[in-house]
Amino acid sequence: MKENNAPYLDPSVPLRDRVEDLLFRMTDRELVGQLVQYAGPGVSFLRGTGKAAGDEVDLGDNVPHYRDLNPRTFIAAIENGEIGSFLSVYDEGEADALQSIAARSRLGIPLLIGVDAIHGHGMYRPGATVFPTPLGLAATFDPDQAEIVARITAREMRATGAHWTFSPNVDVVLDPRWGRTGETFGEDPYLVGEFGRAMVRGYAGDGGEESVLSCAKHFVGGGDPDNGINFAPLDASERTLEETFYPPYRAVIEEGCPTVMAAHNDVNGIPCHAHPGLLTDLLKGTWKFEGFVVSDWTDIFRLHTVHRIAESIPAACVQSVLAGMDMHMHGPGFFEPVLAAVETGVIPRERLTDAVRRILLQKFRLGLFDRDDAGSRLEADRRGGVGCAAHRDAALEAAAASIVLLKNEGNLLPVSRDVGTVLVAGPNAANLSILGDWSVPQEDAVSLLDAVRAKLGDERVISVPTNGVRSITDEQIDETVRIAKTVDVAILAIGDCSLRFDRDNRSCGENADRARLDLIGRQLELVRAVHATGVRVVVVLINGRPIAEPWIAEHIPAIIEAWEGGSQGGRAIAEVLFGDRNPGGRLPVTVPRSVGHIRQHYRVKPASHYRTYVDDPAAPLYEFGYGLSYTRFQYADLRVAPILGPDEDLRVVFRLTNVGDRDGEEVALLFVSDVIAEVTLPEKTLAGFKRLTLKAGQTREVEMTIARDRLAYLDRALRRRVEPGEFRLSIGVPEVLAANFRVS
Ligand code: GLC
């Protein structure tokens, strides 16, 4: 049993000494056990059994995820210290039950419990606060929003026994056919990195009882699958890896992100889960990453079953650990081959102790050896608890800030409160699509229909119950058209369904990749039919990836991009529709005109459109950074130093005026380009951004500093450097101000 006076149990002993003391005491089986993660027994909850684990893990006659595993074996593995972590643990009852079993083990090493709390803890926790999905958060261009979201998420996680979230996803997405686009912060490496940093800060908090571990994923390059399908290979040059896919990981590791999850895909022929160049040489060597690497869901086994670079699953396990993998997600089949490989010397003992040291360091840092989760729960309850009003208010703020106004012809928006009757229809008007992926049904979710009714009163709001995005019927289209002829304004909520529990309608989300980018199903037919009645139409997009619909862009007078705004998303949209809020979001991704335009992101090089297509304009439907407001902003008087001295950052000053009659928020976007360089470079690169609030008529003197490193590029030898010469600074999308300056 535990020696209570052992140094590893003494909080006054320095952390690293506690780790070394514990390592010294561990048997080989206990060491390998720390590399093993299982899925929680309560995972049956998602499988519709509705059975959330009680106080004692009642496994009955099977462990939901491991049909062949005898429940006694499962319990014994925990008792013997041969399981070190769990994921998908649904509630504090299950977490406490699992921890109480681990506490009976010889050394009493606590379990690390991980969850997919991607935009709130709503994947497991009914009633948890569900925030906008990351793509919507990025559209705020306000990392502080993301930090608040992560902070609240961490609090709600610790209140339920979870210590580690598999977030932030810092994949840079270049192919929006990929269903997980909505789970990312978009296409720009700098923006993705800044939001990743903010999430890492938010999750960590002050390192106390409300702190959780974050996890940068998926390392690396899942956002540009070669056919748009999740898992597909990444074929990328070293230059592309260094310029596009690595920077967000460097950023979050610099911010202290303690864990990294390997990507499903291979990079240039080597699967990430068995890539020593990535996991060991680059991550742990060059970048000096002190945390640990966790596999993605059974991806170690897929080295054999999918990638076919390992003769067998045992061989795959050994290959992955040797490459630098530290923890296996999840279940049986890993422990024995790795133990055998350690005992025969195939896996050097230093590799094993390195992995365990990295994992234990995080468990000690979280305080898991020094306190149970009770304190975290009390703290969370003191602050209002899971899903409390204050958390919902924060979710509303984030959702409102994420909304992008794409079109407002004739100032149709905001709709006057004196409007007569309003139709609110379309497949996403009254369902839970607004929650996005990685969430379960949430009673407190507010649909757009609910929110508009709350604003105008039931008597003035007519709705047409419509099936999901992939199952609209003739009758529903006919009925919507019939009603549209009788109302003053028709609000059509369309887009995607990323919900895991609505498989029939799923068009987006993890493993919901598409070969097209237009509206799925008969949604466009519905919009065109309503438009043909002559009624004023407002289209509200609720979606997890850019939607390429040129006809809507051209014919519909008012278009709002609302992303998947979370449990308060419906309220946020209604507040924008009726003018309680002025939209200020900007696009964190380019919206192509069609799937045929793909790889269309804003960091194109001049030669990319030196020519054009014969059958379609080459320009995107909407540019990265685009977004309108109910007011207008005027930029003037741009000042930058004509010469940037050695080691100087670029100080940018300009005047910004709100020339409209409404208060509003403007995102100032600063781009730079090196006029002549030794390699071809994007026409412009995001170098700075700031979301600013201005009252109607207000003028602000705005000062922004662009770190000198933002001017750097990789030369022909892939060395990052700022090259003396002429640069161009441009502000705004579309551009509103520009100036050249020289770097000495
Ligand atoms: C999935 C996802 C990963 C997630 C993990 C655990 O395969 O790729 O993002 O965190 O499994 O659910």
Side-chain angles (χ1 to χ4, degrees):
M1 284 317 284
K2 280 188 295 189
E3 293 174 37
N4 288 332
N5 58 353
Y8 79 93
L9 292 173
D10 178 351
S12 68
V13 171
L15 215 54
R16 292 179 189 278
D17 296 348
R18 297 177 75 182
V19 171
E20 295 311 317
D21 173 61
L22 180 51
L23 275 173
F24 178 74
R25 298 166 184 271
M26 295 170 77
T27 64
D28 283 357
R29 296 185 73 87
E30 290 163 337
L31 287 165
V32 175
Q34 289 302 303
L35 279 56
V36 179
Q37 179 183 70
Y38 269 60
V43 73
S44 55
F45 183 90
L46 249 198
R47 294 177 180 280
T49 63
K51 167 186 166 297
D55 286 344
E56 180 52 34
V57 176
D58 162 21
L59 296 174
D61 55 4
N62 85 313
V63 187
H65 248 319
Y66 312 111
R67 279 183 299 281
D68 309 336
L69 184 64
N70 177 317
R72 281 311 313 155
T73 312
F74 175 85
I75 301 280
I78 303 171
E79 284 169 335
N80 298 333
E82 295 172 7
I83 297 178
S85 169
F86 276 88
L87 81 153
S88 310
V89 172
Y90 283 85
D91 58 27
E92 48 274 39
E94 184 177 347
D96 292 351
L98 293 167
Q99 292 290 11
S100 63
I101 300 169
R104 300 200 292 259
S105 65
R106 186 176 74 88
L107 294 168
I109 301 174
L111 298 166
L112 189 60
I113 292 183
V115 291
D116 286 287
I118 309 301
H119 51 113
H121 191 25
M123 174 67 187
Y124 303 103
R125 182 67 187 213
T129 312
V130 179
F131 297 96
T133 50
L135 195 61
L137 277 181
T140 68
F141 278 80
D142 181 1
D144 291 346
Q145 286 283 5
E147 189 166 342
I148 291 166
V149 165
R151 190 84 297 279
I152 292 173
T153 302
R155 184 175 300 146
E156 297 195 355
M157 281 173 58
R158 289 304 298 268
T160 57
H163 315 113
W164 176 27
T165 176
F166 306 125
S167 165
N169 180 327
V170 287
D171 289 323
V172 173
V173 67
L174 299 185
D175 186 337
R177 292 175 295 178
W178 190 45
R180 304 186 75 166
T181 299
E183 202 186 308
T184 74
F185 295 113
E187 69 186 47
D188 180 75
Y190 174 53
L191 185 70
V192 172
E194 291 307 293
F195 272 85
R197 286 176 186 271
M199 296 295 275
V200 167
R201 285 194 302 271
Y203 288 133
D206 61 3
E209 294 181 321
E210 297 188 311
S211 173
V212 298
L213 301 184
S214 50
C215 179
K217 71 184 186 183
H218 309 79
F219 192 55
V220 71
D224 190 19
D226 75 2
N227 56 3
I229 298 175
N230 201 23
F231 283 82
L234 171 73
D235 204 358
S237 66
E238 267 314 299
R239 176 174 294 281
T240 298
L241 290 168
E242 289 284 356
E243 284 176 348
T244 300
F245 296 113
Y246 290 166
Y249 286 90
R250 269 205 298 271
V252 295
I253 286 164
E254 202 175 271
E255 199 67 37
C257 184
T259 73
V260 166
M261 184 184 292
H264 295 310
N265 51 280
D266 73 62
V267 175
N268 302 331
I270 305 174
C272 295
H273 278 71
H275 199 312
L278 284 177
L279 304 184
T280 300
D281 304 342
L282 181 65
L283 189 59
K284 297 175 180 177
T286 312
W287 295 351
K288 297 184 177 30
F289 175 61
E290 275 198 333
F292 67 87
V293 181
V294 63
S295 84
D296 202 337
W297 188 271
T298 74
D299 271 305
I300 293 175
F301 297 174
R302 289 181 180 132
L303 293 174
H304 170 63
T305 59
V306 177
H307 293 294
R308 305 199 340 242
I309 63 156
E311 288 289 336
S312 65
I313 282 180
C317 296
V318 174
Q319 200 175 139
S320 189
V321 171
L322 286 173
M325 184 61 62
D326 300 312
M327 187 182 285
H328 158 60
M329 179 193 289
H330 58 88
F334 173 89
F335 181 88
E336 295 306 340
V338 170
L339 178 65
V342 168
E343 289 177 342
T344 56
V346 172
I347 293 179
R349 184 164 297 283
E350 308 75 67
R351 173 72 275 270
L352 174 62
T353 47
D354 169 55
V356 180
R357 179 175 292 113
R358 290 169 179 271
I359 293 166
L360 291 180
L361 190 60
Q362 299 311 327
K363 290 189 174 183
F364 277 108
R365 277 192 176 146
L366 273 175
L368 300 189
F369 285 84
D370 305 324
R371 53 179 180 262
D372 63 16
D373 290 328
S376 306
R377 283 171 214 161
L378 287 174
E379 182 60 17
D381 290 343
R382 189 179 67 78
R383 291 170 180 268
V386 173
C388 65
H391 294 179
R392 284 202 301 275
D393 290 347
L396 174 61
E397 290 308 313
S402 71
I403 291 174
V404 181
L405 178 61
L406 294 178
K407 188 176 177 185
N408 191 18
E409 205 166 67
N411 291 326
L412 197 169
L413 293 173
V415 176
S416 159
R417 289 294 185 88
D418 304 332
V419 66
T421 51
V422 169
L423 165 67
V424 178
N428 283 347
N431 66 7
L432 293 175
S433 289
I434 204 143
L435 290 177
D437 196 0
W438 302 102
S439 63
V440 292
Q442 301 285 345
E443 291 76 41
D444 71 330
V446 180
S447 72
L448 176 56
L449 176 60
D450 294 345
V452 174
R453 282 194 168 134
K455 279 230 176 287
L456 297 184
D458 290 0
E459 65 290 348
R460 288 198 289 160
V461 179
I462 307 174
S463 74
V464 177
T466 306
N467 295 346
V469 292
R470 300 182 70 168
S471 38
I472 303 171
T473 65
D474 288 333
E475 295 70 24
Q476 290 163 354
I477 292 176
D478 295 345
E479 179 62 3
T480 306
V481 168
R482 189 182 70 78
I483 300 292
K485 291 172 181 168
T486 69
V487 298
D488 296 286
V489 175
I491 298 171
L492 299 180
I494 57 176
D496 274 320
C497 170
S498 301
L499 300 173
R500 290 176 178 245
F501 50 86
D502 184 357
R503 291 194 179 283
D504 295 342
N505 280 295
R506 213 151 180 252
S507 67
C508 200
E510 185 191 20
N511 297 327
D513 314 302
R514 290 192 62 205
R516 300 166 53 168
L517 288 180
D518 54 4
L519 285 166
I520 202 161
R522 302 178 64 184
Q523 300 182 86
L524 179 60
E525 184 184 340
L526 171 70
V527 174
R528 294 186 72 139
V530 171
H531 174 264
T533 68
V535 70
R536 291 183 298 165
V537 178
V538 179
V539 157
V540 177
L541 293 170
I542 294 174
N543 51 302
R545 65 155 66 83
I547 287 183
E549 279 296 356
W551 187 90
I552 287 180
E554 190 181 332
H555 293 89
I556 298 300
I559 306 169
I560 281 179
E561 174 54 83
W563 314 110
E564 292 156 324
S567 48
Q568 305 303 312
R571 283 173 63 196
I573 299 168
E575 293 191 2
V576 165
L577 282 172
F578 294 96
D580 303 300
R581 290 177 188 262
N582 185 353
R586 296 291 185 127
L587 294 177
V589 281
T590 301
V591 180
R593 294 183 64 82
S594 80
V595 71
H597 290 70
I598 281 181
R599 293 184 54 174
Q600 186 166 47
H601 50 77
Y602 89 90
R603 288 177 302 117
V604 288
K605 299 188 177 181
S608 298
H609 45 77
Y610 176 59
R611 297 285 189 205
T612 185
Y613 301 113
V614 294
D615 58 351
D616 214 352
L621 205 50
Y622 301 104
E623 284 185 86
F624 171 89
Y626 178 80
L628 301 174
S629 169
Y630 290 156
T631 187
R632 281 184 309 108
F633 295 95
Q634 206 163 60
Y635 289 73
D637 196 12
L638 171 59
R639 280 153 281 157
V640 289
I643 304 281
L644 196 63
D647 305 327
E648 272 189 322
D649 291 337
L650 182 67
R651 182 171 168 270
V652 180
V653 182
F654 57 89
R655 240 191 1 267
L656 182 63
T657 302
N658 177 347
V659 295
D661 56 5
R662 277 176 177 274
D663 298 353
E665 295 187 19
E666 170 71 348
V667 175
L669 295 166
L670 274 57
F671 299 90
V672 292
S673 55
D674 193 333
V675 174
I676 299 291
E678 73 173 43
V679 294
T680 57
L681 293 175
E683 280 186 319
K684 64 179 186 178
T685 301
L686 183 68
F689 57 91
K690 194 171 195 174
R691 185 161 177 144
L692 301 149
T693 303
L694 286 91
K695 294 207 168 303
Q698 182 185 1
T699 292
R700 287 183 61 170
E701 176 99 343
V702 181
E703 177 175 333
M704 295 171 67
T705 299
I706 295 178
R708 185 184 184 83
D709 181 62
R710 301 292 315 135
L711 306 177
Y713 73 87
L714 296 180
D715 64 17
R716 291 188 178 187
L718 294 186
R719 287 179 308 244
R720 188 169 179 77
R721 62 191 181 93
V722 179
E723 184 186 57
E726 189 176 1
F727 282 76
R728 185 173 192 275
L729 168 74
S730 78
I731 297 182
V733 172
E735 180 177 301
V736 288
L737 283 177
N740 282 27
F741 60 94
R742 292 193 67 79
V743 171
S744 60

